[in-house]
Amino acid sequence: MSDAATDIQASAQEATFAGGCFWCLEAAFNRLQGVLHAESGYSNGEHPQPDYESVCSGRTGHAEVVRVRFDPARVSYQQLLGVFFFLHDPTTLNRQGNDVGTQYRSGIYTHLAEQAAQARALIEQLTASGVHASPIVTEVTPVVNYHPAEAYHQGYAARNPYQGYCAVVVAPKLEKFRRTFSELLKTED
């Protein structure tokens, strides 16, 4: 690894977001400049070894999340928050579209006190602006008990663009995301 790459890895930060199904969030975040890697996983539940089946049962308390490793010199946490709020409906409790259950809740799981402050400030700003007709229900709390999702979930939307959910739900959301955030996208996108 070059010295520059080592420096970027050393200064990289992490952010963890829950906004419904992790396939869409991961696919979008991986397209952003400055994002080194986005990984689907489970967080903020109680079970010590969650897996997809147990998380979907609602018994573990985990949310489906995406952990984003990013270079703050190229993409700010504030920009990541903007993308996060664009990609999902933060006003529906334990639900995103037809996905229902606590695992689909809206959450920002923070790694630093500064992240929590920025997230809460943006929620206040969005609330004051009236951009949403209903109150924002996004929880902001420190990240705990994170576990990567199974390998078959990683990069799922990219590998399975014609799978029903990906074609009907993920693809249109990603197209709208690409149009809205074109200036933040990696050049190969």
Side-chain angles (χ1 to χ4, degrees):
M1 193 179 302
S2 73
D3 287 344
T6 302
D7 290 345
I8 290 170
Q9 286 296 335
S11 65
Q13 294 182 12
E14 291 185 335
T16 303
F17 302 107
C21 178
F22 46 33
W23 295 341
C24 180
L25 292 177
E26 178 196 320
F29 281 114
N30 269 324
R31 287 176 166 79
L32 291 175
Q33 293 178 35
V35 168
L36 306 172
H37 181 67
E39 173 182 75
S40 292
Y42 314 111
S43 191
N44 287 57
E46 328 246 305
H47 194 281
Q49 292 297 319
D51 60 20
Y52 187 67
E53 187 176 312
S54 65
V55 170
C56 286
S57 75
R59 293 188 306 265
T60 72
H62 286 82
E64 285 193 19
V65 300
V66 172
R67 176 163 284 182
V68 179
R69 187 162 176 76
F70 67 101
D71 175 0
R74 297 193 56 220
V75 63
S76 70
Y77 185 71
Q78 194 69 30
Q79 289 171 311
L80 296 178
L81 286 171
V83 168
F84 167 71
F85 279 108
F86 175 83
L87 288 172
H88 82 296
D89 181 353
T91 68
T92 54
L93 185 63
N94 301 330
R95 175 185 203 121
Q96 288 298 307
N98 291 329
D99 295 331
V100 179
T102 57
Q103 69 272 24
Y104 300 117
R105 65 188 179 266
S106 177
I108 300 169
Y109 303 122
T110 59
H111 297 255
L112 305 166
E114 180 182 332
Q115 289 181 348
Q118 287 182 38
R120 288 187 180 100
L122 182 55
I123 290 170
E124 286 178 21
Q125 185 180 32
L126 291 171
T127 299
S129 76
V131 70
H132 297 288
S134 300
I136 293 173
V137 297
T138 304
E139 63 183 5
V140 179
T141 187
V143 65
V144 294
N145 201 16
Y146 172 81
H147 297 271
E150 295 80 357
Y152 70 89
H153 287 297
Q154 309 304 328
Y156 189 87
R159 288 189 336 270
N160 298 283
Y162 303 109
Q163 185 267 356
Y165 187 89
C166 293
V168 173
V169 177
V170 178
K173 194 179 282 193
L174 287 177
E175 183 53 39
K176 186 176 174 187
F177 159 77
R178 281 187 199 105
R179 286 192 310 270
T180 304
F181 293 96
S182 60
E183 74 285 356
L184 295 179
L185 297 180
K186 293 176 179 171
T187 55
E188 68 266 14
D189 211 11

